[in-house]
Amino acid sequence: MDTFEYISATPRVLFGSGTLEQLPSMLQTFKTKTVLILCTPQQVSTAETVQKIITDAGVAESAIFSKAAMHTPTHITDRAVLFAQENKVDGIVSVGGGSTVGLGKAISIRTGLPHLCIPTTYAGSEMTPILGETENGRKTTRRDPKILPTAVLYDVDLFATLPVGLTVFSGINAIAHAVEALYASNTNPVIQLFACEGIRVLCEALPALLQSSEASQQDLLPQKAAREKALYGAWLCGICLGSVDMALHHKLCHTLGGLFNLPHAETHVVLLPHAVAYNASAPAAAGAMAKLASVLPDAEGDAVRGINALYRRLRTSQLSLGGLRMPETGIDEACDAALGSNRYKNPRELERDGVRELIRRAWAGEQARRDL
């Protein structure tokens, strides 16, 4: 076995069904008097539910800031920090997906306030010390242990009304974290175990949730079991994302998201098969590709084949960057930005022709092929 280093740095996690009711006791450990509750405009009702639980328990005052946005624009963070100062808050609760969690991280790293996350998607940002922020169309990413949230409360019941499309997209987003962790420059056997288990259970749960999206009431119990499995898998994949370096796939997602304001999860979905295809021929990724193929249904020993088969089962194979409203004229701009400074470590050298063709195929919505 090769020499490796494993560093564990994760927040306190409470996982289960109905765990939202334990929020007051978790907040008491923060010793906060006034809490800032963060959400997007679409999740105000969920934030208000959280606010009522806090208020009824009498553990803290609270104020809601509902302007969280994709890619964590710095001007939104500026407004939120000012709002927090005006309300004299001494703790943060973020309720939602990656956009809301990202805003909570941005406020926390600026102010030093403790940050509790209540995820409602499978994005996994709550388990990472990584913050991506956008300013003037450019998204920059940094890693700092201080960015890591203080605690995470997973309540499976909050996922009951998550639309099936978003369920699938954010679930594949989670899979992408684990895929790149398998061939990360600083991967290790522990993270590889997490990655394989996370991918395996998500590959079981996501098709089940898709198939049961029009189920009758008597099928609600199997749906809940599948949601539990999906959330467990996403949690493991989030740990992977927070523990090792990412590679080409995440570099492209951050670059394109910042340049063209593309939806984060869908961008992950479109790019993942092509990033896997790009790295499939790299000798440094051979072991990782074999592990990936072993946990993908219908892979038959080929990770690219397995990803394509999964996408057909999840009915996502026709998505494209063009369909997400990225202009065709942006292909070269995206390639230049991805190959610029601050390159991510990748098992295969980043070659302009190959990276440009990867982006072009993703823009056109072509099926991933190993000939990149």
Side-chain angles (χ1 to χ4, degrees):
M1 182 177 290
D2 294 335
T3 300
F4 68 90
E5 180 180 26
Y6 172 66
I7 300 174
S8 177
T10 58
R12 175 193 175 193
V13 171
L14 178 62
F15 186 106
S17 175
T19 51
L20 190 59
E21 296 301 324
Q22 297 185 46
L23 174 60
S25 63
M26 294 186 76
L27 284 178
Q28 284 180 323
T29 65
F30 287 10
K31 299 180 180 179
T32 56
K33 296 181 179 179
T34 304
V35 174
L36 176 64
I37 303 173
L38 303 174
C39 66
T40 62
Q42 295 76 28
Q43 290 196 296
V44 171
S45 62
T46 305
E48 289 174 342
T49 298
V50 168
Q51 185 177 48
K52 186 176 187 303
I53 291 172
I54 295 171
T55 301
D56 289 351
V59 296
E61 300 294 324
S62 61
I64 295 176
F65 182 87
S66 60
K67 305 298 182 183
M70 287 193 306
H71 309 300
T72 319
T74 54
H75 71 276
I76 297 292
T77 303
D78 293 339
R79 290 174 57 187
V81 169
L82 180 61
F83 184 84
Q85 292 170 343
E86 291 172 345
N87 286 274
K88 298 180 180 180
V89 305
D90 52 4
I92 304 165
V93 175
S94 58
V95 185
S99 299
T100 308
V101 173
L103 178 58
K105 288 178 172 181
I107 298 169
S108 180
I109 193 65
R110 288 196 192 187
T111 63
L113 295 176
H115 177 200
L116 187 151
C117 299
I118 305 175
T120 60
T121 74
Y122 303 117
S125 176
E126 67 279 355
M127 295 304 299
T128 76
I130 301 168
L131 173 61
E133 296 179 284
T134 303
E135 186 171 13
N136 299 324
R138 295 285 175 175
K139 187 169 184 177
T140 57
T141 304
R142 56 177 165 148
R143 181 187 289 260
D144 187 321
K146 295 178 182 178
I147 293 171
L148 192 71
T150 312
V152 179
L153 189 157
Y154 288 112
D155 190 333
V156 177
D157 298 343
L158 292 177
F159 292 74
T161 58
L162 187 67
V164 66
L166 185 53
T167 295
V168 170
F169 295 152
S170 66
I172 295 175
N173 184 359
I175 289 173
H177 305 331
V179 167
E180 288 220 310
L182 287 172
Y183 53 68
S185 61
N186 56 345
T187 190
N188 60 71
V190 178
I191 289 302
Q192 289 175 352
L193 285 172
F194 287 171
C196 287
E197 175 69 358
I199 294 168
R200 184 188 67 79
V201 297
L202 279 163
C203 285
E204 294 176 359
L206 294 178
L209 288 170
L210 179 63
Q211 292 167 9
S212 65
S213 60
E214 298 179 355
S216 57
Q217 287 296 314
Q218 59 262 35
D219 294 318
L220 289 180
L221 184 59
Q223 280 189 42
K224 184 172 182 179
R227 286 196 300 272
E228 289 173 346
K229 185 176 289 188
L231 188 54
Y232 166 66
W235 172 35
L236 293 177
C237 293
I239 293 174
C240 294
L241 176 64
S243 302
V244 296
D245 295 334
M246 293 292 103
L248 174 62
H249 169 77
H250 280 77
K251 174 65 174 180
L252 289 175
C253 288
H254 292 158
T255 298
L256 271 64
L259 284 174
F260 308 111
N261 196 35
L262 303 182
H264 184 72
E266 289 91 329
T267 303
H268 273 274
V269 173
V270 174
L271 287 170
L272 178 61
H274 300 286
V276 171
Y278 183 90
N279 285 321
S281 62
M289 291 298 167
K291 287 184 173 67
L292 177 57
S294 72
V295 292
L296 289 172
D298 306 314
E300 298 182 11
D302 184 336
V304 177
R305 177 189 177 96
I307 289 285
N308 285 336
L310 176 65
Y311 275 37
R312 286 192 295 272
R313 289 184 70 193
L314 297 177
R315 304 171 199 165
T316 58
S317 56
Q318 299 304 311
L319 289 179
S320 68
L321 295 177
L324 299 179
R325 299 189 178 180
M326 171 184 160
E328 186 175 9
T329 54
I331 293 174
D332 284 304
E333 182 183 4
C335 184
D336 291 340
L339 297 177
S341 59
N342 191 30
R343 292 192 184 189
Y344 287 17
K345 295 177 182 178
N346 194 65
R348 175 181 165 185
E349 183 179 352
L350 301 185
E351 304 158 352
R352 179 175 177 80
D353 289 347
V355 172
R356 188 192 186 283
E357 177 62 8
L358 184 166
I359 298 171
R360 187 205 65 77
R361 291 180 184 182
W363 181 87
E366 297 178 8
Q367 181 170 280
R369 306 192 303 275
R370 296 178 63 97
D371 60 349
L372 272 172

